[in-house]
Amino acid sequence: MDVFAPLQWIADRITYDLVGLSPESKAGSALDFFLYDVPKVLLLLAVVIFAVAIIRSFFPPERTRKMLSHSRLYAGNVAAALLGIVTPFCSCSAVPLFIGFVESGVPLGVTFSFLVASPMINEVAIILLFGLFGWKIAALYVVSGLFIAITSGIIIGKLGLESWVEEYVYQIRMGDAGELPEQTWPERFTYARGYVAEIVGKVWPYVVVGIGIGAVMHGYIPDDFLVQYAGPNNPFAVPIAVLIGVPLYSNAAGVIPLVSVLTEKGMAMGTVLAFMMAVVGLSLPEAIILRKVLKPKLIAVYFGINAIGIVAIGYLFNAVLH
Amino acid sequence: MVIKILGSGCANCHKLEELARKAVEELGIDATFEKVTEYPEIMAFGIMSTPGLVVDDSVKMSGRVPTYEQVKRLIAEAR
């Protein structure tokens, strides 16, 4: 059973009975799409972000750091990528996180697996992919994200680029905060509620605008319109999609509803996934923030390996998903 | 009492400072505020996520903006 059926029913009643548009008309199809998708996506966001926030309250970065210190190549990279999903992270704390990891003996390559996975596999992206594309695509996204995070971390670890980290990082000694008291359940709930309000409050305009544009395209643009430009047979589609994705950072919420319509109009799935990953994983603001601890050469390597991985994933899925 | 707000000046740090100032006022505590914005200093307190709340050199909380009630309790307990 489709749990969203009641939302569809409400959207249908408003569009066809209240407004009086015909289901066959372009305007009717667009309005119905909009009225169904907006509440559905916002509802999904609120529920899942709440759950994610509760899970995250068990994984403060200080604990993650303890778990990863003195870990080894390979196993450490896998653990770091997985922990990257559950450890709360915002680009504003990327620098203290990086220093803290390095200071406690987390190998550089393992630290990078964390830094790649954490923003790329973010809950907003996963929820939207799940809601608009289904669980298979969402799972594929998570697995590919983990794969890129693990391999790029291993490559950076193998290259031995420790000297491309700013020297002062190695001189910082962290103090001991002592054991901060474990959060109580009421505190976790308060935190989760606040987190939902913060994230949904921030992304809802993007969701509405994204779905709005998507709805218009859904209603008015012919279905195979994009096949010749962004279909699986255009070899340049993936790299171009990645380039377009870089400056769209943090707008995953507005971008995904849009790409869901792009796929409907003929954009290939691998291109869509690569685009999504570029939007959330290749962020210029984060690169600028990381400049405080990384020399430009290392930022270039980090971005380069990531971008190559994302493009490769795009081509791979364009080849196998039809 | 010395209250330190750890963080490089992001929106959350300002929010935390506001809450702490309000709490101090309501509790009638004589406190001075310090902002710690440099990473080496922040990390010397042993935390990795900002904002952080430090009362008389002991870390009370880090990585999130607590509710006003929580801030008030943390400061009252440290008195």
Side-chain angles (χ1 to χ4, degrees), chain A residues 184-191 193, chain B residues 70:
Chain A
T184 61
W185 276 100
E187 278 174 0
R188 288 184 214 281
F189 281 121
T190 320
Y191 165 72
R193 260 204 310 273
Chain B
Q70 286 169 1

Side-chain angles (χ1 to χ4, degrees), chain A:
Chain A
M1 199 202 98
D2 182 4
V3 288
F4 297 109
L7 292 178
Q8 184 67 67
W9 186 83
I10 294 170
D12 288 352
R13 293 293 73 74
I14 295 178
T15 314
Y16 308 135
D17 300 346
L18 219 60
V19 184
L21 293 166
S22 131
E24 281 77 41
S25 71
K26 286 174 176 163
S29 154
L31 182 63
D32 189 58
F33 180 92
F34 181 78
L35 291 177
Y36 169 64
D37 263 19
V38 169
K40 172 178 151 183
V41 168
L42 292 180
L43 215 64
L44 266 172
L45 275 174
V47 172
V48 183
I49 288 176
F50 188 85
V52 167
I54 297 283
I55 297 172
R56 285 190 169 172
S57 68
F58 288 92
F59 290 90
E62 289 79 10
R63 180 173 298 169
T64 298
R65 164 176 173 257
K66 219 173 273 173
M67 286 161 89
L68 290 177
S69 65
H70 307 292
S71 59
R72 288 164 193 281
L73 207 63
Y74 302 115
N77 293 87
V78 175
L82 289 170
L83 284 167
I85 306 177
V86 288
T87 305
F89 173 86
C90 82
S91 45
C92 51
S93 52
V95 167
L97 209 116
F98 182 88
I99 299 175
F101 274 26
V102 169
E103 197 261 357
S104 71
V106 179
L108 191 62
V110 175
T111 304
F112 269 102
S113 282
F114 182 91
L115 280 182
V116 172
S118 200
M120 183 138 70
I121 313 178
N122 82 44
E123 69 277 12
V124 176
I126 299 174
I127 299 158
L128 289 173
L129 285 173
F130 170 75
L132 299 170
F133 289 93
W135 70 268
K136 278 186 199 158
I137 296 296
L140 214 55
Y141 179 85
V142 172
V143 173
S144 344
L146 281 174
F147 179 78
I148 293 180
I150 293 167
T151 12
S152 53
I154 290 175
I155 295 172
I156 291 177
K158 287 273 184 206
L159 289 174
L161 302 177
E162 280 72 9
S163 61
W164 290 6
V165 173
E166 293 290 349
E167 281 84 11
Y168 82 92
V169 170
Y170 296 112
Q171 269 125 49
I172 293 178
R173 287 287 159 264
M174 264 183 84
D176 187 5
E179 279 293 302
L180 287 179
E182 187 84 7
Q183 285 186 65
T184 61
W185 276 100
E187 278 174 0
R188 288 184 214 281
F189 281 121
T190 320
Y191 165 72
R193 260 204 310 273
Y195 192 61
V196 170
E198 187 192 325
I199 301 281
V200 175
K202 202 160 54 187
V203 304
W204 77 264
Y206 297 107
V207 172
V208 172
V209 171
I211 296 177
I213 299 175
V216 172
M217 294 170 60
H218 174 82
Y220 290 89
I221 294 177
D223 266 0
D224 50 4
F225 179 72
L226 283 173
V227 171
Q228 58 178 124
Y229 309 109
N233 296 325
N234 179 355
F236 298 112
V238 174
I240 291 173
V242 169
L243 281 181
I244 296 175
V246 175
L248 293 176
Y249 171 68
S250 88
N251 289 336
V255 166
I256 299 178
L258 210 61
V259 289
S260 93
V261 176
L262 295 179
T263 8
E264 192 184 292
K265 305 297 177 198
M267 188 163 168
M269 205 59 225
T271 313
V272 169
L273 283 172
F275 179 65
M276 277 300 312
M277 289 181 159
V279 169
V280 292
L282 293 176
S283 126
L284 286 180
E286 200 190 315
I288 293 166
I289 287 168
L290 284 173
R291 174 64 193 91
K292 283 202 168 134
V293 283
L294 307 180
K295 293 180 181 166
K297 289 185 281 192
L298 188 47
I299 294 184
V301 170
Y302 161 60
F303 248 62
I305 296 179
N306 241 341
I308 292 170
I310 291 172
V311 170
I313 290 284
Y315 281 127
L316 177 72
F317 288 136
N318 276 348
V320 295
L321 290 178
H322 275 297

